[in-house]
Amino acid sequence: AEDCNFESIVPFCGMRALSLDTDPDTASRSFDTSRNGFVGTGGAVCMVLEAESEAKRRNATSYAKFIGWGQGSDGHNVAISHPEGRGLKRAMENALKDAKLSPTDIDYVNAHAPSTSIGDASEMKALKATFPLPQKMKVSSTKPLTGHGLSLSSIMEAAFCCIALKDQFIPGSAHVKNPDPELEHLELVQKSNNHPLTRIMSNSSGFGGANVSVIFEKA
């Protein structure tokens, strides 16, 4: 849970991390050339992680299987991602190793992509290095629709990935008018669409160069 209030959001003004746009409905536009900062949000999410045998015993509906995770720290700056995305690249590689998968086993990546010029650029480099050609990885960020939930965002986006696996769709990256050319071979999904999915990776980055990637599989 994260309570979006004056005290939690105002410090980001001093960091020049918030969008300067006056319309919050379109201000967050991850991977757009005109992105200029994030929009804060609050809320709460609960996810239950349990053994498959216990879920079956309870006759519970399983949304997805949690099959791997990885973390990577770069220590580049207290608030800025490494320009080459080294920490996030390491986190994704560690998650793939933990799940015993290759990059081509992933169908879609839910990016951290906060809609900041530096953060998005760093993640694009990490993604291109982790998923090189000929693979054209499908990527999007849900933050343009929800806002950036700070400490909430990681589990909120993981929950979206589980719902996407259950209902077989890819959430789109909203409000993008001019996709950043630095995306290159990455396929930016701009509109939500039905799509067969087996495995999804979700990325999260935090202060101090902390990065985590988690992988979910269709239940």
Side-chain angles (χ1 to χ4, degrees):
E2 181 75 44
D3 183 15
C4 180
N5 55 35
F6 183 84
E7 287 76 15
S8 65
I9 296 300
V10 160
F12 293 100
C13 293
M15 294 169 58
R16 304 293 190 268
L18 298 182
S19 174
L20 301 175
D21 289 18
T22 56
D23 183 359
D25 289 335
T26 58
S28 179
R29 45 186 181 274
S30 305
F31 299 125
D32 191 282
T33 54
S34 65
R35 64 188 184 274
N36 58 26
F38 74 82
V39 176
T41 192
V45 173
C46 177
M47 293 179 69
V48 177
L49 177 64
E50 62 184 340
E52 187 175 13
S53 58
E54 177 61 14
K56 288 180 178 178
R57 186 192 68 79
R58 296 194 305 110
N59 197 29
T61 299
S62 295
Y63 279 70
K65 292 182 179 180
F66 176 56
I67 61 172
W69 76 285
Q71 76 176 42
S73 300
D74 56 56
H76 172 69
N77 184 282
V78 69
I80 299 174
S81 303
H82 191 283
E84 297 298 320
R86 290 179 183 174
L88 185 54
K89 178 177 179 289
R90 189 176 301 116
M92 289 188 283
E93 291 172 343
N94 288 339
L96 289 168
K97 182 179 179 180
D98 185 50
K100 297 179 175 60
L101 298 174
S102 66
T104 54
D105 292 320
I106 305 299
D107 299 313
Y108 158 70
V109 176
N110 184 282
H112 177 73
S115 188
T116 61
S117 57
I118 295 175
D120 286 14
S122 173
E123 187 163 13
M124 281 188 283
K125 289 186 177 181
L127 286 165
K128 288 186 291 185
T130 306
F131 301 98
L133 284 171
Q135 185 177 13
K136 293 187 176 181
M137 177 55 66
K138 291 178 171 58
V139 176
S140 72
S141 172
T142 48
K143 285 185 177 71
L145 291 175
T146 66
H148 190 346
L150 307 178
S151 59
L152 162 71
S153 66
S154 56
I155 190 169
M156 177 167 63
E157 288 156 20
F160 293 155
C161 289
C162 293
I163 293 171
L165 280 166
K166 179 177 178 292
D167 293 343
Q168 294 290 282
F169 74 96
I170 296 179
S173 243
H175 314 144
V176 176
K177 293 184 178 179
N178 299 295
D180 194 320
E182 290 299 318
L183 283 159
E184 297 177 354
H185 67 268
L186 299 173
E187 183 180 335
L188 181 65
V189 180
Q190 295 180 238
K191 292 185 178 181
S192 299
N193 62 83
N194 295 328
H195 194 282
L197 296 168
T198 302
R199 298 177 195 89
I200 288 177
M201 176 182 283
S202 182
N203 289 339
S204 296
S205 299
F207 284 158
N211 303 276
V212 172
S213 294
V214 294
I215 300 175
F216 297 98
E217 186 175 75
K218 181 181 177 181

